[in-house]
Amino acid sequence: MAPTDTRTQILDAAERLFAERGYRGTSVRAVTDLAGANLAAVGYHFGSKAELLAAVARRVVEPINAAQSAGLDRLAARTSDPSVVELVEAFAGPLFDGMPGGDESGARTSRLIVTILSDPAEEVRAWTGPAEDTIRDRYLAAFARALPSLSEDELWFRIRGILAVTAVDRVEVYNRQAPVVGEAAKRWAITFLAAALSAPPTAL
């Protein structure tokens, strides 16, 4: 078996187990057993369990981030003042496209994103790098211009809500084996999320 094949099999196994069991509930041995690899393979290809998680997360998130960046670029080329709805569509649309309902890989991606958002392990929050920071900062700046009355902290809380709502919805669609509503679900979510983001600032 070629080294690249072993690496991919480990990534596939780790993605499934991290999504199902979380970071602390997943052992390196469980990953290598599922992948059909020897225990030393994780160290050889990734260095550590934390670096394996980072590689799994980036493999899932990078295509979504690329689509989000491209969507923001298209908006910027068309207008200097995009609406909240347009920004939500550019941000949330790739999440729906990357997590198709009724599809096992889409459900696994959704569960992994829920894990990244909710797992208490420090390693789950430490995997991001410059690429993820750039996307976050670009959307924060764009939403801040569209919603100037919100504080940065409340705005980021609401943007994180886009991730949570989308991921939980995709998992629910898969778990219930419900008919896939496709584009309609995306439009409903964009309408809902744009309204939630546009709500007045919370009085503290």
Side-chain angles (χ1 to χ4, degrees):
M1 182 181 294
T4 51
D5 291 337
T6 300
R7 187 178 192 278
T8 299
Q9 288 196 331
I10 291 171
L11 284 169
D12 290 343
E15 181 180 329
R16 174 178 166 183
L17 293 175
F18 285 139
E20 292 175 354
R21 305 179 184 178
Y23 181 79
R24 290 175 180 162
T26 299
S27 67
V28 170
R29 182 174 294 280
V31 171
T32 54
D33 285 350
L34 184 60
N38 66 60
L39 196 60
V42 168
Y44 175 77
H45 289 285
F46 302 99
S48 67
K49 178 180 164 184
E51 288 301 319
L52 173 58
L53 172 69
V56 167
R58 290 192 184 106
R59 187 176 70 157
V60 166
V61 169
E62 281 175 357
I64 295 173
N65 280 350
Q68 289 172 326
S69 181
L72 202 53
D73 289 341
R74 286 192 296 271
L75 280 179
R78 194 171 77 242
T79 176
S80 60
D81 189 27
S83 68
V84 173
V85 171
E86 289 173 322
L87 290 169
V88 170
E89 184 169 11
F91 187 79
L95 293 168
F96 275 87
D97 296 339
M99 297 184 286
D103 177 79
E104 169 59 29
S105 66
R108 188 168 57 248
T109 297
S110 304
R111 289 194 296 267
L112 183 67
I113 288 177
V114 170
T115 295
I116 290 170
L117 290 172
S118 61
D119 195 305
E122 179 61 32
E123 293 86 349
V124 178
R125 295 186 295 277
W127 67 270
T128 57
E132 291 75 30
D133 292 343
T134 297
I135 289 292
R136 181 199 62 199
D137 292 346
R138 289 188 69 196
Y139 271 96
L140 265 174
F143 276 115
R145 289 191 294 272
L147 298 164
S149 63
L150 290 179
S151 69
E152 183 174 328
D153 287 344
E154 184 165 9
L155 178 57
W156 180 235
F157 177 87
R158 295 185 186 190
I159 293 173
R160 287 178 66 245
I162 296 177
L163 297 170
V165 167
T166 306
V168 169
D169 172 76
R170 299 292 83 193
V171 171
E172 182 73 3
V173 167
Y174 180 81
N175 287 345
R176 289 193 175 198
Q177 297 293 315
V180 181
V181 290
E183 188 65 22
K186 185 195 296 188
R187 301 313 309 173
W188 296 338
I190 288 168
T191 299
F192 168 74
L193 292 165
L197 276 165
S198 301
T202 303
L204 298 177

